[in-house]
Amino acid sequence: MGNPHILVVPFPAQEHAIPLMELSQILIKHGIKITFVNTEFNHKRITNALGKEPEGQVHFVSIPDGMGAEEDRNHIGKLVEACLKFMPGELRQLIEKIKQTDDDEITCVLADMTLGLGVEVAAELGIKTAALWPPATLLLALILNIPKLIDDGVIDENGTPLKHEMIQLSLDSPTMSPSNFVWMTIEDFTTQKIIFDLMQRYNKAIEKVEWLLCNSTYNLEVGAFASVPKALPIGPLSKLDKLGNLEVNFWPEDSSCLKWLDQQPPRSTIYVAFGSITVLNPTQFQELALGLELSNRPFLWVVRPNVIEGKDDAYPEGFRNRVADRVKMVGWAPQRAVLNHPSIACFISHCGWNSTMEGVSNGVPFLCWPYFADQFLNESYICDNWKVGLRFEKDESEIIRGEEIKSKVEKLLSDENFKARALELKEKTLNNIKEGGSSEQNLKSFIEWVKS
Ligand code: UDP
């Protein structure tokens, strides 16, 4: 028997590759060998973004995702179907190949629980299996409750809401509107159904994994962890000691913004970023630009390539000139370092879970702009439970106007209580990864199990 060697299998998307890579770099630090599986398509994106093959102690391999070269990987339904059909066979072959060619065969599969790729294959091959659940644990609690929601007549067999009153899974958890249940936020019914069916398989899949790790902490999600006893928090992953730098960005990271932030006064700057998937319609993009201009503060704005729906440019006329002395725009920021920078005052965020955890771990107050999936849940945590942020209100045409943005920035930043609560939440959250903290203990036990 060789050294412990984990095969890490993320769902092939940016926001899944990041936490799985973070966990990989933590495990490497503890002497565990890691082979990280990307799809060929994503491997190419990562290599293009880096301008070279990723290197370091994590060993990268890539396998096909089962989609044609021209097919749209942003179509979540098609991607999920292709991966589930095609990738298990590829993973089986990969594990066999490693067995024949590597001194250390795969001793454990670490799957991304959102897709569960690798769980069945590992079970078949008698390899021990663990999983990471990258989103909020509350989302998992909701999904595992689907059979009960159907029994109670809250949703039908397709996941369509039959009742519209708010749901609360446990006393400590935010209330949720059934129309915001994660599968309902996907526009077309066929995709909704694919995702809903996938989620209904989680109860069984979870039985097969020995460890179910979450990028979260007990203090943030007391109720959710009580509802899913198997789930163990090990977060916040972004704040744990790692070996090596993250090598899985899909866009080239522009770190010049850190130097720019050094020039800004402490707690002066608005950071604006909407993660890796969200797109804005041109009117909305324009209003956001106006709002940032009206706020009269420095701002660092991540304008990802293709972030504007159907257009390359939707800036208001003369905008760039008028704000030139107080703006920095980048295509992709080193977000975890940005949020840790003393010049940041607040975070205009789409409330993806990674961004939520990163903002919380750095004590940054939020202005919430959720779009779809679990982002509404995370917004409720931020605004209603932890009280470290504010919501934007849309007007009658479903647009968040520039004036609304300006007024919420002022409201958030003129009330010291938001910052005070954010700092208190940060401290409590980081206590989990200190010696003896619950995340630290869970991670330690997990590592012992991997090595045993
Ligand atoms: N991110 C980044 N640079 C950017 C924007 C985002 O590194 O300019 C990272 C961010 O730190 C987070 C991830 O991308 O780890 C986005 O994940 P999240 O769950 O917040 O959003 P999603 O991409 O799922 O919408």
Side-chain angles (χ1 to χ4, degrees):
M1 184 85 175
N3 300 307
H5 185 180
I6 304 187
L7 189 74
V8 178
V9 194
F11 179 102
Q14 178 70 90
E15 74 280 17
H16 291 257
I18 290 175
L20 279 139
M21 177 49 74
E22 284 181 322
L23 180 52
S24 298
Q25 288 170 338
I26 294 159
L27 296 173
I28 287 235
K29 194 156 184 276
H30 290 270
I32 295 165
K33 191 163 167 175
I34 299 287
T35 294
F36 195 90
V37 186
N38 282 310
T39 60
E40 285 171 354
F41 184 85
N42 287 345
H43 185 78
K44 239 182 242 152
R45 293 186 72 173
I46 292 165
T47 309
N48 288 342
L50 268 178
K52 57 177 184 158
E53 285 288 327
E55 51 197 35
Q57 304 219 23
V58 169
H59 178 58
F60 286 90
V61 291
S62 53
I63 59 177
D65 56 14
M67 295 183 86
E70 300 304 318
E71 275 187 275
D72 180 10
R73 267 88 181 163
N74 290 330
H75 192 296
I76 181 82
K78 284 190 186 155
L79 180 68
V80 164
E81 280 193 320
C83 290
L84 287 176
K85 198 163 151 201
F86 202 74
M87 286 176 71
E90 292 291 331
L91 286 170
R92 192 176 299 111
Q93 278 178 31
L94 177 65
I95 293 172
E96 291 297 340
K97 189 173 143 204
I98 292 174
K99 192 171 183 175
Q100 279 151 24
T101 54
D102 197 309
D103 292 340
D104 303 311
E105 63 180 277
I106 298 297
T107 55
C108 174
V109 168
L110 176 65
D112 181 332
M113 202 63 238
T114 50
L115 202 50
L117 278 174
V119 172
E120 298 280 341
V121 174
E124 262 170 48
L125 299 175
I127 298 173
K128 55 189 185 183
T129 326
L132 178 73
W133 174 257
T137 307
L138 181 60
L139 177 64
L140 185 60
L142 170 70
I143 295 168
L144 298 180
N145 259 288
I146 287 175
K148 185 167 185 312
L149 294 172
I150 296 176
D151 283 350
D152 293 349
V154 178
I155 52 174
D156 69 13
E157 301 283 329
N158 294 318
T160 309
L162 300 172
K163 291 184 182 164
H164 293 280
E165 54 265 34
M166 302 292 273
I167 295 287
Q168 193 178 27
L169 288 182
S170 64
L171 280 180
D172 298 300
S173 302
T175 52
M176 302 175 238
S177 156
S179 59
N180 281 342
F181 283 168
V182 62
W183 54 90
M184 289 306 297
T185 64
I186 299 164
E187 273 169 25
D188 74 288
F189 183 72
T190 316
T191 310
Q192 239 179 56
K193 185 86 178 82
I194 294 170
I195 300 301
F196 187 67
D197 290 347
L198 168 72
M199 290 176 168
Q200 284 183 285
R201 289 154 56 169
Y202 286 179
N203 273 304
K204 277 227 168 75
I206 284 176
E207 280 171 24
K208 293 198 175 121
V209 303
E210 284 178 72
W211 287 78
L212 179 57
L213 308 171
C214 298
N215 181 19
S216 185
T217 58
Y218 283 123
N219 69 302
L220 291 174
E221 298 202 86
V222 179
F225 281 108
S227 336
V228 191
K230 188 161 183 172
L232 296 175
I234 55 165
L237 287 175
S238 64
K239 289 291 187 184
L240 283 157
D241 280 344
K242 305 182 185 65
L243 200 65
N245 291 319
L246 206 74
E247 301 260 14
V248 287
N249 286 315
F250 289 8
W251 295 271
E253 188 175 87
D254 185 345
S255 49
S256 65
C257 56
L258 294 174
K259 287 226 170 66
W260 179 85
L261 278 174
D262 289 343
Q263 315 300 316
Q264 310 309 316
R267 282 174 58 188
S268 63
T269 303
I270 307 169
Y271 174 56
V272 192
F274 296 106
S276 60
I277 311 165
T278 298
V279 289
L280 301 176
N281 76 45
T283 313
Q284 188 57 86
F285 184 88
Q286 197 163 48
E287 289 294 330
L288 172 57
L290 282 173
L292 293 170
E293 182 178 349
L294 287 170
S295 76
N296 235 346
R297 289 176 164 267
F299 57 96
L300 167 58
W301 186 5
V302 178
V303 184
R304 239 181 37 237
N306 304 324
V307 74
I308 313 170
E309 220 172 77
K311 270 183 134 182
D312 290 336
D313 187 337
Y315 296 100
E317 204 166 323
F319 168 78
R320 283 167 185 266
N321 283 340
R322 292 195 300 274
V323 296
D325 61 342
R326 61 185 169 93
V327 65
K328 177 80 181 166
M329 287 195 253
V330 294
W332 190 252
Q335 179 163 302
R336 290 156 298 279
V338 165
L339 288 169
N340 193 29
H341 197 286
S343 298
I344 296 296
C346 67
F347 184 10
I348 298 187
S349 171
H350 72 312
C351 307
W353 184 250
N354 292 302
S355 296
T356 302
M357 284 300 285
E358 291 158 7
V360 165
S361 317
N362 287 295
V364 178
F366 290 82
L367 288 167
C368 298
W369 191 315
Y371 256 70
F372 81 122
D374 57 338
Q375 296 157 13
F376 300 98
L377 263 190
N378 305 337
E379 176 192 53
S380 301
Y381 264 141
I382 293 170
C383 300
D384 307 331
N385 284 49
W386 310 329
K387 299 187 171 32
V388 294
L390 291 171
R391 294 182 163 83
F392 286 122
E393 301 301 331
K394 293 181 171 165
D395 72 358
E396 58 288 349
S397 43
E398 292 291 295
I399 296 287
I400 299 170
R401 295 288 167 194
E403 278 296 339
E404 163 70 3
I405 296 166
K406 173 190 176 223
S407 111
K408 287 287 157 68
V409 168
E410 271 169 17
K411 191 167 174 196
L412 186 84
L413 297 184
S414 63
D415 183 346
E416 273 299 313
N417 290 316
F418 283 103
K419 184 67 183 175
R421 280 193 295 267
L423 288 174
E424 197 186 321
L425 191 65
K426 167 188 165 179
E427 200 190 321
K428 282 191 180 147
T429 302
L430 296 187
N431 280 342
N432 289 282
I433 54 172
K434 288 193 182 143
E435 183 80 43
S438 52
S439 290
E440 191 261 355
Q441 294 288 311
N442 288 336
L443 187 62
K444 209 168 172 182
S445 311
F446 173 65
I447 290 169
E448 277 164 16
W449 172 80
V450 170
K451 290 184 168 176
S452 67

